[in-house]
Amino acid sequence: MVLNRKKRMPVVSILLVVLLILCPLFCMPAFSQGGNVIVTINIKDYMLRPVPNASVIVDDIFVGVTDRDGLITVSNFSAGPHNITASAEGLATRTAEREFSDGAKVNVQLNRENVVTDPNIVTFIILDSGASKSKLAGATVYIDGEPIGKTDTKDGKVQYLIPAGIHRVKVQKEGWQDNETVMEITPGATYTMYLSTAGKFSIFNLKLFLYALEKEITKGLLVTIQLSVVAMSIGLVIGLIMGLGRVSSNIIFRSVASVYVEGVRGLPILLQLLFVNFGLPFLISDITGGQFNIDGFTACVIALSVNSGAYMGEIFKAGIEAIHKGQMEAARSLGMTYNQSMRYIILPQAFKIVLPALGNEFIALIKDSSIGMVISVMEIVWWSKSIGAEYYNTFTPLLAAGMVYLCITIPLGRMVQYMEKRYNVNNARKQGTGILKKKPRAGGREPEGTV
């Protein structure tokens, strides 16, 4: 057995180095530093939607207004606790204390504003006439031919001061049949009107579908890819270490790897995420005696990495065990150490075997990243949920989210199928067998290079 170490450069080592280099591009550091720090403040409403044009004051200093995504970046503040006061139209002003650290992202949630209205104001609530009876946003209400406004995205209603008497009321919304009626209006009363869809289904709205698709691709897809790539990179390192531990002759290393793999695989990923996001800060604060905060993105990355690392540990274990033990014995007989044998002989071959399985794990990781929605990580499913709540139509945004996921996972699935064919050991053996079965040349002599 002749070994050429230059030709047996471990592919897995190169990939790990590349992934580790890419990690800092997707995950910004969140460690506290002294002096001035740069912090991103995220203002959300009571439905966890971004609040644009919200005024932000930090320690009685006006720092500006939020952008269209409800974000504003501030600097020239020292690390530590600061008071943030946020206000926006239609929402109650709130002051909250948040911990500043360099590169951190802090959230401030605003509730509804308690407004005392005129008791004579008339309220119109517009509902879907279908079985769902869901509220409709963006429906225009006309009184005696004059528009009085559109139903809002919060309650599906519009309010207006209308004199008592008989009036002609008309409700109109694109894609829906108009509803026009004559009724006697009493000041301060609430009236409910229904609209029927002009098409076959009332749950699907093409304009809302395109709007949700645009938001989920431009906003949520980037966060989903960041979560998946960073978690895959970290999980790959954890999985390789755990895979080596599972086949190690060192009983301590093997026991630790076995406990980790079996323990993590035996717990639901949702439980792991909730523990990292809510339980881990309490644990660290109790141990250190100080305050510890973790943002949703970082918590989601940690949970996905730990969970994925356990499964990839089993993948690497299976790949290593698939290599015939004679490979290790031959390498050791040539004077190579155990680590050198694993590095130059076993792992390069094992990596080719497990490459399709790693591809499948990455696809599963992309879908598992949707679990970040429960802690308000603004990935694809979070945007579909937010848009559905805003327009009282959950089916259409969820359908758009499904389309986005399929556009990612189907090409990746085809790529995995190609890798399975490319690195299929049985196919390689069949090709080799075909060479062995070549007919002998004239004269009965075997071709050179055959056995």
Side-chain angles (χ1 to χ4, degrees):
M1 181 178 179
V2 180
L3 298 177
N4 188 336
R5 295 189 178 183
K6 293 183 178 179
K7 291 183 178 180
R8 290 189 176 277
M9 182 70 178
V11 180
V12 63
S13 300
I14 298 176
L15 183 62
L16 289 177
V17 172
V18 173
L19 291 175
L20 290 175
I21 293 175
L22 290 176
C23 277
L25 299 178
F26 292 94
C27 191
M28 297 298 294
F31 299 103
S32 298
Q33 300 179 1
N36 295 335
V37 296
I38 299 177
V39 178
T40 300
I41 301 175
N42 186 12
I43 308 299
K44 301 179 181 180
D45 65 5
Y46 56 94
M47 295 185 66
L48 300 180
R49 297 172 301 190
V51 180
N53 300 320
S55 299
V56 180
I57 298 174
V58 179
D59 295 337
D60 298 327
I61 301 176
F62 177 75
V63 295
V65 297
T66 56
D67 58 16
R68 57 178 294 186
D69 298 318
L71 302 175
I72 182 173
T73 302
V74 299
S75 57
N76 299 326
F77 290 95
S78 61
H82 294 272
N83 290 323
I84 302 174
T85 302
S87 59
E89 183 179 358
L91 298 171
T93 302
R94 182 187 178 189
T95 300
E97 183 180 290
R98 294 292 184 267
E99 188 78 16
F100 280 15
S101 60
D102 194 39
K105 184 177 181 180
V106 297
N107 299 320
V108 178
Q109 184 175 340
L110 303 181
N111 296 320
R112 290 186 182 184
E113 183 179 19
N114 295 323
V115 180
V116 179
T117 59
D118 191 325
N120 294 322
I121 285 182
V122 179
T123 301
F124 291 94
I125 300 177
I126 313 302
L127 302 179
D128 178 7
S129 63
S132 64
K133 296 294 186 295
S134 58
K135 299 175 182 178
L136 296 180
T140 305
V141 179
Y142 298 84
I143 302 294
D144 298 328
E146 295 293 329
I148 63 171
K150 292 185 177 182
T151 54
D152 58 24
T153 58
K154 298 178 182 179
D155 304 304
K157 67 181 181 181
V158 61
Q159 294 179 315
Y160 200 76
L161 189 60
I162 304 173
I166 297 177
H167 297 272
R168 180 175 296 276
V169 182
K170 179 182 178 180
V171 182
Q172 189 176 48
K173 180 177 172 65
E174 184 179 357
W176 299 74
Q177 295 179 355
D178 296 350
N179 184 358
E180 186 173 358
T181 184
V182 176
M183 64 174 64
E184 183 175 358
I185 294 179
T186 303
T190 298
Y191 299 93
T192 301
M193 300 185 67
Y194 296 89
L195 288 182
S196 301
T197 177
K200 184 177 180 181
F201 298 104
S202 62
I203 58 176
F204 180 79
N205 186 299
L206 180 60
K207 183 175 291 187
L208 180 60
F209 177 83
L210 296 176
Y211 172 74
L213 202 62
E214 185 266 335
K215 283 289 185 181
E216 290 163 4
I217 291 177
T218 58
K219 303 294 182 182
L221 181 59
L222 178 61
V223 177
T224 296
I225 293 177
Q226 288 178 338
L227 283 173
S228 304
V229 172
V230 176
M232 184 69 181
S233 304
I234 301 175
L236 197 60
V237 177
I238 297 175
L240 180 58
I241 296 174
M242 293 300 107
L244 293 173
R246 294 278 277 171
V247 299
S248 175
S249 58
N250 187 312
I251 187 172
I252 298 178
F253 189 16
R254 187 172 66 251
S255 299
V256 171
S258 299
V259 170
Y260 172 83
V261 171
E262 298 299 334
V264 172
R265 292 173 66 199
L267 296 175
I269 186 172
L270 177 59
L271 177 62
Q272 298 173 32
L273 177 64
L274 295 178
F275 176 80
V276 173
N277 189 68
F278 299 109
L280 189 61
F282 281 96
L283 177 63
I284 296 178
S285 298
D286 189 52
I287 295 175
T288 61
Q291 186 177 3
F292 179 81
N293 295 319
I294 185 170
D295 63 276
F297 182 88
T298 304
C300 197
V301 166
I302 294 174
L304 290 174
S305 301
V306 170
N307 184 270
S308 180
Y311 285 93
M312 283 193 277
E314 285 297 282
I315 292 175
F316 278 112
K317 173 180 176 289
I320 293 171
E321 291 179 341
I323 307 301
H324 195 278
K325 63 180 181 179
Q327 298 272 352
M328 175 65 76
E329 294 172 355
R332 296 300 298 273
S333 66
L334 292 175
M336 300 180 69
T337 64
Y338 177 82
N339 292 335
Q340 289 176 331
S341 302
M342 291 295 295
R343 179 182 177 186
Y344 294 108
I345 305 300
I346 305 301
L347 286 182
Q349 298 180 74
F351 184 76
K352 289 184 178 181
I353 297 175
V354 304
L355 196 57
L358 293 178
N360 287 326
E361 178 63 24
F362 182 61
I363 294 175
L365 194 60
I366 291 176
K367 294 181 289 184
D368 288 341
S369 65
S370 61
I371 201 72
M373 178 199 68
V374 301
I375 57 173
S376 301
V377 177
M378 293 188 289
E379 41 75 55
I380 296 174
V381 178
W382 184 92
W383 277 102
S384 68
K385 175 179 174 292
S386 176
I387 295 172
E390 182 179 356
Y391 290 94
Y392 300 102
N393 187 332
T394 57
F395 177 83
T396 301
L398 288 175
L399 184 64
M403 292 292 294
V404 175
Y405 277 112
L406 288 177
C407 290
I408 302 173
T409 56
I410 289 179
L412 288 176
R414 299 299 182 189
M415 188 181 302
V416 170
Q417 291 179 357
Y418 169 78
M419 289 190 297
E420 288 177 346
K421 295 179 180 179
R422 177 70 176 81
Y423 297 110
N424 192 301
V425 178
N426 293 328
N427 287 343
R429 289 176 178 173
K430 290 179 181 179
Q431 293 175 0
T433 304
I435 296 175
L436 297 177
K437 289 184 177 180
K438 286 184 178 179
K439 294 182 178 180
R441 294 178 181 177
R445 296 179 59 188
E446 293 288 336
E448 295 182 4
T450 59
V451 180

